[in-house]
């Protein structure tokens, strides 16, 4: 049986905890091991080396490299002795929209297959690399960490980066309270990435609306200035049954995976106006909403669908992943029954 190890390149930070979860899940379901390594700036010689063909390894063992951006695609980021163990290598670029960071002269290096998260980026990577490129959209662990709980105690949750209007949690709590809504500010952060992510998903499972805005509507120094994109805030919130409230990305074609009940779209970023919009939505909240959002996230956004697309592309078997797909099918059937009863 073919096994695939997973390497996640980079230092773990809070915003990348969901990718730590992905790396662990991917290795587990594809029979391999997961680990992280630090990236570094390659020298001119290392850049040249990255263009060379790697030594052929074991055809029954592959390596999936999860790269934060295209700057992590140099083979020099991986020890040569490590690459010799693998018969094939795949790179999955999470922030593929950073086209300006694609290494000059890059031609796939040791990678046999490249994956990007945005459909928008597929063509440019295929043109530059001349190799196969597939889209593995941003996802979530809906099966393992999601929730369809209908008993929710918090109306509005602030999660992650926010524009100035929403960045003061004390002010947001006061305005929400003045309008009869409960509000929760920044969730606590734990040192262990996997524990932190699981705790965050439990937190969202108690929430009705999660505030999140596109990076173009609410920019920051570390976001891209012209390209917008779906991130874990959207997919994780929906997996946990919440609705995402804010201004969503309008360029990222991954938004096409979402459904009408997934979003509460604001026309502008204004705290008072936004809260009034939330009050209107809250008045129409039903138990059907978290059931539906969790169900749709399970059917469209779960990481297991991305991993299935990958192993199908490679033409290999992954028995544990196959078992998880059966679990998804059974869960969807149960949720459909619940939704039918909730009509």
């Amino acid at each position: 049986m073919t096994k695939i190890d997973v390497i996640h390149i980079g230092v773990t930070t809070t915003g990348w905890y969901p990718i730590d979860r992905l790396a662990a899940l991917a290795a587990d379901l594809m029979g391999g091991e997961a680990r992280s390594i630090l990236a570094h700036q390659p020298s001119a010689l290392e850049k040249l080396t990255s263009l060379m063909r790697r030594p052929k390894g074991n055809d029954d063992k592959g390596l999936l490299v999860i790269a934060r951006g295209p700057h992590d695609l140099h083979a020099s980021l991986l020890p040569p002795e490590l690459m010799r163990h693998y018969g094939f290598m795949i790179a999955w670029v999470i922030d593929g929209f950073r086209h300006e960071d694609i290494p000059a002269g890059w031609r796939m290096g040791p990678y046999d297959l490249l994956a990007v998260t945005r459909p928008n980026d597929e063509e440019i990577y295929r043109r530059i690399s001349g190799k196969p490129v597939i889209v593995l959209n941003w996802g979530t662990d809906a099966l393992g960490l999601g929730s369809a709980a209908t008993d929710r105690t918090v109306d509005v949750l602030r999660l992650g980066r926010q524009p100035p209007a929403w960045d003061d949690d004390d002010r947001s709590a006061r305005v929400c309270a003045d309008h009869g809504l409960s509000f929760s500010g920044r969730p606590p952060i734990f040192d262990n990435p996997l524990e932190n992510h699981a705790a965050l998903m439990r937190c969202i499972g108690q929430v009705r609306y999660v505030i999140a805005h596109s990076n173009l509507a609410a920019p920051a120094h570390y976001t891209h200035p012209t390209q917008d994109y779906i991130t874990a805030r959207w997919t994780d919130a929906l997996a946990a049954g919440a609705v995402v409230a804010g201004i969503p990305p309008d360029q990222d074609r991954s938004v096409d995976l979402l459904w009408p009940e997934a979003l509460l779209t604001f026309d502008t970023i204004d705290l008072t106006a936004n809260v009034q919009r939330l009050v209107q939505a809250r008045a129409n909240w039903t138990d059907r909403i978290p059931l539906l959002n969790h169900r749709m996230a399970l059917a469209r956004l779960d990481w297991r669908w991305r991993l299935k697309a990958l192993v199908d592309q490679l033409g290999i078997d992954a028995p544990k992943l196959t078992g998880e797909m059966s679990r998804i099918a059974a869960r969807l059937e149960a949720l459909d029954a619940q939704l039918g009863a909730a009509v």
Side-chain angles (χ1 to χ4, degrees):
M1 183 184 74
T2 302
K3 296 182 178 181
I4 299 179
D5 290 339
V6 180
I7 285 182
H8 177 201
I9 298 179
V11 177
T12 294
T13 58
T14 307
W16 286 93
Y17 283 176
I19 300 301
D20 287 282
R21 178 68 183 177
L22 167 62
L25 185 67
D28 179 49
L29 298 185
M30 296 190 296
E33 298 179 356
R35 64 182 171 123
S36 297
I37 66 171
L38 299 179
H40 71 280
Q41 274 302 105
S43 66
L45 178 60
E46 287 173 326
K47 289 181 180 180
L48 179 62
T49 302
S50 73
L51 303 178
M52 298 172 62
R53 184 180 298 273
R54 73 175 190 276
K56 191 66 173 175
N58 183 352
D59 286 337
D60 291 332
K61 198 167 188 181
L63 178 66
L64 170 62
V65 176
I66 300 179
R68 300 192 178 204
H71 54 282
D72 286 339
L73 292 174
H74 285 293
S76 57
L77 297 169
L78 304 173
E81 63 273 13
L82 181 148
M83 290 189 285
R84 293 191 184 97
H85 293 291
Y86 298 103
F88 59 94
M89 290 174 55
I90 311 107
W92 187 349
V93 186
I94 303 302
D95 283 358
F97 52 80
R98 296 191 179 277
H99 305 157
E100 66 279 7
D101 291 339
I102 297 175
W106 183 70
R107 290 295 183 272
M108 288 287 280
Y111 300 108
D112 303 289
L113 177 67
L114 183 69
V116 293
T117 54
R118 290 197 325 168
N120 314 50
D121 304 319
E122 181 179 10
E123 182 53 36
I124 187 171
Y125 282 90
R126 180 177 289 116
R127 186 172 68 249
I128 290 172
S129 70
K131 294 284 189 73
V133 180
I134 62 173
V135 178
L136 301 176
N137 298 97
W138 195 286
T140 180
D141 186 1
L143 183 64
L145 298 177
S147 174
T150 56
D151 183 15
R152 297 185 175 238
T153 58
V154 177
D155 291 318
V156 183
L157 172 69
R158 173 258 171 80
L159 183 59
R161 170 182 51 82
Q162 296 293 337
W166 278 96
D167 200 40
D168 185 333
D169 288 347
D170 291 337
R171 177 172 178 252
S172 298
R174 287 195 301 271
V175 174
C176 283
D178 289 344
H179 288 78
L181 298 176
S182 56
F183 173 86
S184 179
R186 296 168 175 83
I189 297 176
F190 301 91
D191 292 335
N192 182 285
L194 299 183
E195 290 178 3
N196 185 86
H197 192 53
L200 176 61
M201 293 296 284
R202 290 193 296 271
C203 175
I204 301 174
Q206 302 173 12
V207 171
R208 295 183 177 88
Y209 298 95
V210 170
I211 303 298
H213 298 281
S214 157
N215 58 291
L216 296 187
H221 69 89
Y222 52 85
T223 61
H224 201 281
T226 61
Q227 300 286 327
D228 66 15
Y229 38 88
I230 287 285
T231 67
R233 289 197 295 172
W234 278 265
T235 56
D236 284 350
L238 295 169
V243 173
V244 181
I247 299 179
D250 61 7
Q251 295 178 9
D252 186 351
R253 296 203 299 273
S254 300
V255 173
D256 294 343
L257 289 172
L258 304 185
W259 51 97
E261 296 84 356
L263 304 174
L264 177 65
T265 302
F266 296 157
D267 296 326
T268 186
I269 297 177
D270 176 86
L271 181 60
T272 301
N274 295 164
V275 169
Q276 290 172 345
R277 180 84 175 88
L278 285 161
V279 169
Q280 296 170 358
R282 174 67 179 87
N284 295 315
W285 180 272
T286 69
D287 288 349
R288 182 180 175 80
I289 295 173
L291 285 167
L292 179 63
N293 281 352
H294 174 64
R295 190 257 181 229
M296 295 299 291
L298 195 63
R300 297 186 181 186
L301 304 178
D302 196 279
W303 286 126
R304 292 161 183 80
W305 292 109
R306 315 299 182 246
L307 298 175
K308 182 179 186 302
L310 176 59
V311 299
D312 287 349
Q313 175 74 22
L314 295 170
I316 63 175
D317 293 325
K320 194 166 185 178
L321 175 60
T322 300
E324 290 291 273
M325 301 311 298
S326 296
R327 287 184 61 206
I328 286 181
R331 177 69 175 146
L332 288 173
E333 184 177 354
L335 285 164
D336 286 340
Q338 287 182 270
L339 283 164
V343 173

